[in-house]
Amino acid sequence: MSATDRSTASATVPSDHAAIVAEITSWLALAAEEVDRNFLENRGDITAAVGRMNEEALSGDRAAFHQQQLLLSRIYQMMTTIPGEPIAEGSVLLHEITRSLETATIASEDRCVAPGTLESAPVDGREYLSWLKNLVRGHRAYKHPYYTEFIRYDARPEDLRTYVIQESLVDARFDDLLAMMQIGTSGPSKMEIAKNFWDEMGNGNPEEVHTHLFNKIYEVFGIQDGDIEGAVTANDLLSGNLAVLITRYRQMYPEAVGFLGMTEWLAPSRFQNVVRAWERLGLPDAGITYHRLHITIDSKHAAGWFHNVVLPAASSEHMRRGIARGALWRANSSARYLDERLDGVRVTA
């Protein structure tokens, strides 16, 4: 169907969430000008349909939540991939839809932050850092039983395959997240992010680039690109979407500091359990290099991040609030999807 045909076919905007997501997804491979030329006349109906989906997702409708995060994930995939032909990036209508999805996602995450928490942050930098760490140490996500009990002792090869697919939404693009985050930074913060990024790049060795090593896990399990979207839940999609959201906007730099900092701080303990499971199952050694490396590297990165990125920023109330907000977004969203995973494996056990 041509873009003109699609425009005619879309004169009546679908009311079903899956149908509106499919409709908007079909625009992503069109040039931005073509999208706006053919679909802007339906702007009010389209944005209203997306708004209804957001409202239902916020009210707890799981189907609406999944479609909301699926659409945002597809849009972000378009925005973070080099295309071979024109795409919808830059479309006025698509930008409005994206901002509606992002705003709703932010509102949902903020509702999960206990009232008064952000306001209770200490002013002194060192005290703030201790407070921030203790905030997450006391969180269910810190030593989650999905890792400490299920992955470590009970996970089977098929469970690790599913785990890798679900984690790919953050782990497999961490280098790009750092690259987007560092724009506009300076001094020790920029240098710390750069060191982190260079480690992700294998310190210049193509065979040790971390995304390359992560893909080795795909090879062990025979995971194809087409396997991913159908295997991830709404909470998995949310985790990946939050990581892109907080790194693509300069105004969300504080949230990125907290979110990615906690991602690295939590990783070593979690990955130790993955390595134990991998060794217990006797899986090919080449597939676990990524996790082994990050047990050591992320411990160093987290320490450097706290000292060179968090502490310099903690002199600002705006930064303190945003860093804590991002850290809690990471902890809260992580706990939700790990709870979901644990419930899933218990049901199938």
Side-chain angles (χ1 to χ4, degrees):
M1 184 182 290
S2 69
T4 303
D5 291 337
R6 267 204 294 270
S7 178
T8 302
S10 299
T12 302
V13 176
S15 57
D16 175 73
H17 298 323
I20 190 65
V21 168
E23 172 67 22
I24 296 169
T25 298
S26 74
W27 306 347
L28 302 182
L30 303 176
E33 297 79 9
E34 193 174 357
V35 172
D36 291 339
R37 182 171 62 248
N38 290 320
F39 302 104
L40 264 176
E41 65 181 24
N42 290 334
R43 179 181 196 166
D45 290 339
I46 292 164
T47 55
V50 173
R52 285 192 296 273
M53 180 170 65
N54 288 333
E55 289 170 4
E56 291 179 23
L58 193 61
S59 71
D61 186 311
R62 295 180 64 83
F65 175 46
H66 187 271
Q67 291 300 320
Q68 175 199 57
Q69 295 303 314
L70 177 61
L71 179 56
L72 187 56
S73 178
R74 289 174 174 175
I75 292 170
Y76 282 164
Q77 184 65 29
M78 177 204 68
M79 291 177 173
T80 55
T81 305
I82 302 298
E85 55 190 21
I87 56 173
E89 184 180 26
S91 158
V92 171
L93 180 55
L94 187 63
H95 175 74
E96 188 170 352
I97 291 167
T98 305
R99 288 302 295 145
S100 176
L101 294 167
E102 290 172 336
T103 301
T105 297
I106 289 170
S108 179
E109 287 310 298
D110 280 343
R111 283 176 58 169
C112 297
V113 176
T117 302
L118 303 183
E119 292 75 16
S120 66
V123 173
D124 176 78
R126 296 286 176 182
E127 291 179 9
Y128 172 79
L129 183 54
S130 295
W131 171 84
L132 186 67
K133 288 181 177 180
N134 287 333
L135 198 62
V136 176
R137 277 197 189 99
H139 200 285
R140 179 169 170 77
Y142 185 64
K143 297 287 185 181
H144 197 282
Y146 175 77
Y147 283 100
T148 60
E149 297 172 14
F150 175 72
I151 288 288
R152 188 180 184 95
Y153 297 112
D154 299 322
R156 300 158 297 180
E158 56 267 33
D159 297 316
L160 288 184
R161 185 182 191 275
T162 301
Y163 162 80
V164 168
I165 290 174
Q166 293 170 325
E167 287 293 302
S168 68
L169 297 173
V170 174
D171 287 354
R173 57 163 50 142
F174 204 77
D175 52 354
D176 286 344
L177 300 175
L178 290 169
M180 291 192 291
M181 180 190 177
Q182 65 85 33
I183 296 169
T185 59
S186 60
S189 296
K190 196 177 193 78
M191 292 304 296
E192 186 62 41
I193 298 168
K195 283 195 297 184
N196 198 320
F197 177 78
W198 192 234
D199 276 343
E200 292 288 328
M201 292 294 98
N203 294 293
N205 183 344
E207 292 301 311
E208 295 182 5
V209 171
H210 291 191
T211 49
H212 173 73
L213 296 176
F214 194 87
N215 287 336
K216 292 291 184 183
I217 315 174
Y218 284 6
E219 293 175 14
V220 169
F221 293 120
I223 298 170
Q224 305 295 319
D225 289 343
D227 298 334
I228 296 175
E229 188 174 276
V232 293
T233 68
N235 280 313
D236 297 326
L237 291 166
L238 169 67
S239 222
N241 289 340
L242 284 173
V244 178
L245 170 60
I246 49 96
T247 54
R248 72 185 293 255
Y249 290 106
R250 298 304 81 214
Q251 66 182 353
M252 301 211 76
Y253 173 77
E255 283 77 8
V257 170
F259 190 99
L260 296 189
M262 287 305 161
T263 298
E264 294 205 303
W265 195 44
L266 293 170
S269 174
R270 292 179 170 189
F271 286 3
Q272 284 174 356
N273 293 300
V274 176
V275 170
R276 289 293 182 89
W278 197 277
E279 293 171 346
R280 170 173 56 79
L281 295 167
L283 295 169
D285 202 56
I288 199 60
T289 303
Y290 173 90
H291 288 84
R292 283 188 178 136
L293 273 176
H294 279 265
I295 291 172
T296 302
I297 289 174
D298 280 354
S299 294
K300 295 177 180 177
H301 284 169
W305 197 274
F306 289 141
H307 182 75
N308 295 316
V309 183
V310 174
L311 275 179
S315 60
S316 158
E317 181 181 355
H318 169 72
M319 291 293 293
R320 287 193 301 272
R321 181 182 179 87
I323 291 169
R325 187 187 190 204
L328 286 171
W329 284 2
R330 175 57 180 166
N332 289 337
S333 61
S334 179
R336 288 198 300 275
Y337 76 70
L338 292 176
D339 284 346
E340 181 179 70
R341 291 179 191 179
L342 191 58
D343 288 344
V345 297
R346 283 171 173 166
V347 167
T348 57

